[in-house]
Amino acid sequence: MKAVLDHVGIAVKDLSAALAFYRDALGLHVEVPEEVASQRVRAHFIPTGEASLELLEATASDSAIAKYVEKRGPGLHHITLRVEDIRAALDQLKAKGVRLVDEQPRPGAEGALVAFIHPSSAHGVLVELKQASPKPLAPSPVLRYELGDLELISLFDGYIRLDGGAMFGVVPKPLWEKHAPPDERGRILLAMRPLVVRGVRTMLIDAGLGDKDDAKFHDIYGVDRRRNLDMTLAEAGLRPEDIDIVLASHLHFDHCGGFTYRDASGAIKPKFPRAQYVIRRGEWEDATHTHERNRASYLPDNYVPLADAGVLQLVDDDMTIMPGVRVKRTGGHCMHHQIIYIESKGETAIFAADLVPTTAHLPNAWIMGYDLYPMDTLAAKKAFFADVAARNALVFFEHDPLVAAAHIREDKGKRTYERA
Ligand SMILES: [Zn+2]
Ligand SMILES: [Zn+2]
């Protein structure tokens, strides 16, 4: 097991006295405290090179830190070792007869997983194991790709969190959690990555979640749009009025929320003032005639105002939307879900939308529980990967938290990806 010292926890009785030493006398920087409500403790981190110090201040008399201070006085409380795979580490320790406080990891601060080893097995020291949050720390950059005469620009509209079980359908959690570690509410991190195609016209494919949702929605779906489509569009050197065509893969809220916005008067308007919005007719019909099973995914404010504004163009079939860009219906996820083929000078890129939402969904059977017609997804996936292999196509993953686009390799039936 590879373990790195993450931090040393120090139980504090009198915070201002502790700060007088660590901050004022030693001259160290003390970060803004973090409240860990479940432990009734406030944590003040002090960076000290690779590892840090953590001053632990009880916020209630029944907190473990308050009891510790009462019994033993303030001072060293625990050390924390960071490991890559906390479950593997716990299994290894159990096999060696080490006594554990936590047999299973539990959620810690900042999305980390933590577990304590009993001091009786660690020679009098309380040892915490920690697996850091999988959340990427580096912001998702705007990525540009050349494809023949076309320029493709991968944008970003933030993250949402969806139920991990629902994202992988019949695949058991012990398999999928290695690819997509769930948070304390069982949700996995997903990005929203709209794509710009610049050719004879400027097209935007899907537009992420947008900013019309309320706090309850943000809590349920773990929305993090600190970095969003407005910012990445500007970084790409584009203004909303530069977009000529907005093309929808389908009308679920995480794909078309950004089609509209709420103005100062409360009216909902098209976000891209000069654009025609191209939507498949069958999908439009489904989105405007929902049923109990799909209703939570279709929010009319995202698309009905487009019809009211007269900027809606419905297309009936697989067809070319602008030179080099055509749509192909896959069904499966929803009856009229479509993927987008981008072709120029013999090169191909495919925007896979929710057919293959992340690189974890490469195996045929890894199909979302959300899909209304999973057997259609299976057939569409087989055809998709055969086509990707035949054309050595670049695949855009709309929801992958780390990989915007990749080439796919297939060896003895096992698919891997090479980030582009
Ligand atoms: Zn969808
Ligand atoms: Zn989606």
Side-chain angles (χ1 to χ4, degrees), residues 162-238:
L162 294 178
D163 185 85
M167 280 304 294
F168 293 103
V170 298
V171 179
K173 188 177 179 197
L175 297 184
W176 62 252
E177 71 183 351
K178 290 182 194 149
H179 297 268
D183 68 8
E184 71 283 4
R185 294 163 84 177
R187 304 171 303 181
I188 64 166
L189 186 69
L190 297 164
M192 291 171 288
R193 303 184 183 280
L195 182 68
V196 166
V197 184
R198 302 198 80 176
V200 293
R201 313 190 70 187
T202 299
M203 171 188 279
L204 177 66
I205 303 173
D206 287 356
L209 185 69
D211 57 6
K212 300 187 300 298
D213 306 297
D214 61 16
K216 186 179 166 204
F217 184 100
H218 278 230
D219 176 56
I220 292 171
Y221 293 107
V223 175
D224 178 354
R225 290 184 71 257
R226 283 174 291 183
R227 187 168 160 75
N228 57 48
L229 186 59
D230 289 336
M231 296 160 74
T232 53
L233 196 66
E235 284 169 31
L238 292 167

Side-chain angles (χ1 to χ4, degrees), residues 373-393:
Y373 312 98
M375 291 309 291
D376 293 347
T377 305
L378 180 62
K381 265 178 102 165
K382 288 179 179 173
F384 170 80
F385 282 114
D387 212 14
V388 166
R391 296 155 171 262
N392 188 28

Side-chain angles (χ1 to χ4, degrees), residues 89-98 100:
L90 290 173
D91 287 347
Q92 189 179 331
L93 291 166
K94 253 183 272 181
K96 302 258 182 211
V98 171
L100 303 173

Side-chain angles (χ1 to χ4, degrees), residues 26-107:
L26 285 176
L28 298 173
H29 169 72
V30 181
E31 289 181 349
V32 180
E34 182 176 345
E35 196 98 21
V36 187
S38 61
Q39 306 292 312
R40 290 172 302 286
V41 72
R42 203 172 287 134
H44 305 254
F45 276 95
I46 303 174
T48 47
E50 300 279 300
S52 48
L53 304 178
E54 179 190 30
L55 304 182
L56 294 158
E57 178 196 9
T59 55
S61 57
D62 61 343
S63 100
I65 291 298
K67 287 180 187 154
Y68 181 91
V69 169
E70 195 185 300
K71 207 163 136 194
R72 309 197 191 185
L76 284 184
H77 178 261
H78 68 269
I79 64 166
T80 298
L81 298 174
R82 197 166 60 240
V83 295
E84 258 168 37
D85 184 341
I86 194 167
R87 287 183 179 82
L90 290 173
D91 287 347
Q92 189 179 331
L93 291 166
K94 253 183 272 181
K96 302 258 182 211
V98 171
R99 191 173 160 204
L100 303 173
V101 176
D102 301 297
E103 299 255 322
Q104 292 294 325
R106 55 190 171 86

